[in-house]
Amino acid sequence: GNSVTQMEGPVTLSEEAFLTINCTYTATGYPSLFWYVQYPGEGLQLLLKATKADDKGSNKGFEATYRKETTSFHLEKGSVQVSDSAVYFCAVSDRSQGNLIFGKGTKLSVKP
Amino acid sequence: GAGVSQTPSNKVTEKGKYVELRCDPISGHTALYWYRQSLGQGPEFLIYFQGTGAADDSGLPNDRFFAVRPEGSVSTLKIQRTERGDSAVYLCASSLTGGSNNEQFFGPGTRLTVL
């Protein structure tokens, strides 16, 4: 079945630093890929997604590109802010039903 | 508009007891998902409803877990003979029609603690 492996945390960065959180997946067929974010005290929310190879998802300055050849969907942001401190989850979906398979999550802390 | 709501927000119970967790999806969403998130882990899929029917219950860990959605809206996750290992945050999500192209909107979760 589908699975996701993402970079272990926690990750601590200074404000304006460059962020990369690695994510690789195994899946049959052509799944959709997602990054979800969980801010402190809040529920999970979709950050960005990509539905086919070479698609780039982007939102709030974050980007991730669907790389089928390397089965990866790494999350990047050029300049992080304190408000980006949260737990980030990479996920792959079953295309027909949409149920999500999540990675373990990466906790990001951004210091001023 | 209102998002996905879940009640209770916290539930503490004793080993062996029965619990019910409720999910109110976004109005008009036909797809509803239950996930379980243990400490330090990502959410794990439990069951998927399309309308009133359970389209995929392959994630339910054993027959102590059961879920219903009798009118295609509110769903209840039921756990019999609870065990300490059932302690986790139970998340509910809904989407407009299901499938990977529809965003899933998550509720705040119910934190279940089994003593």
Side-chain angles (χ1 to χ4, degrees):
Chain A
N2 297 352
S3 67
V4 172
T5 302
Q6 69 178 97
M7 193 169 103
E8 298 263 341
V11 174
T12 302
L13 296 173
S14 297
E15 207 164 22
E16 300 183 2
F18 183 83
L19 169 71
T20 300
I21 302 178
N22 290 337
C23 172
T24 57
Y25 67 92
T26 58
T28 54
Y30 302 91
S32 292
L33 303 175
F34 305 81
W35 278 99
Y36 276 80
V37 59
Q38 191 167 33
Y39 297 103
E42 298 185 18
L44 270 173
Q45 53 188 275
L46 178 66
L47 180 60
L48 53 84
K49 72 175 186 180
T51 59
K52 61 183 188 296
D54 300 325
D55 261 5
K56 178 186 284 188
S58 61
N59 186 26
K60 299 182 180 181
F62 290 89
E63 293 182 340
T65 301
Y66 190 141
R67 300 285 189 204
K68 192 163 176 63
E69 64 276 14
T70 54
T71 62
S72 65
F73 193 55
H74 305 320
L75 182 69
E76 296 183 336
K77 185 173 185 180
S79 176
V80 293
Q81 305 301 310
V82 172
S83 58
D84 294 326
S85 298
V87 182
Y88 293 82
F89 294 91
C90 184
V92 60
S93 82
D94 174 274
R95 184 168 287 274
S96 61
Q97 297 184 156
N99 45 293
L100 296 165
I101 308 298
F102 287 88
K104 291 186 176 183
T106 303
K107 183 176 181 179
L108 171 67
S109 295
V110 181
K111 306 297 185 187
Chain B
V4 178
S5 62
Q6 294 185 244
T7 54
S9 55
N10 279 285
K11 176 70 177 178
V12 180
T13 192
E14 294 179 343
K15 180 175 178 297
K17 299 290 189 184
Y18 168 83
V19 296
E20 290 189 350
L21 311 178
R22 176 187 169 109
C23 171
D24 277 272
I26 293 172
S27 178
H29 281 194
T30 64
L32 186 146
Y33 306 81
W34 283 99
Y35 296 85
R36 177 169 73 172
Q37 186 174 16
S38 301
L39 194 63
Q41 303 294 316
E44 293 178 292
F45 168 72
L46 296 177
I47 187 169
Y48 160 59
F49 285 91
Q50 182 56 251
T52 60
D56 182 356
D57 64 358
S58 62
L60 294 178
N62 52 60
D63 61 6
R64 296 186 298 105
F65 288 75
F66 189 71
V68 295
R69 195 185 184 200
E71 297 178 358
S73 178
V74 170
S75 177
T76 304
L77 179 65
K78 308 180 181 194
I79 310 174
Q80 299 177 319
R81 304 183 306 279
T82 52
E83 300 178 357
R84 293 195 179 88
D86 299 335
S87 297
V89 176
Y90 289 80
L91 298 170
C92 176
S94 71
S95 74
L96 190 58
T97 59
S100 60
N101 287 331
N102 285 287
E103 180 179 351
Q104 289 185 34
F105 294 86
F106 282 80
T110 294
R111 182 176 297 278
L112 175 66
T113 303
V114 182
L115 301 177

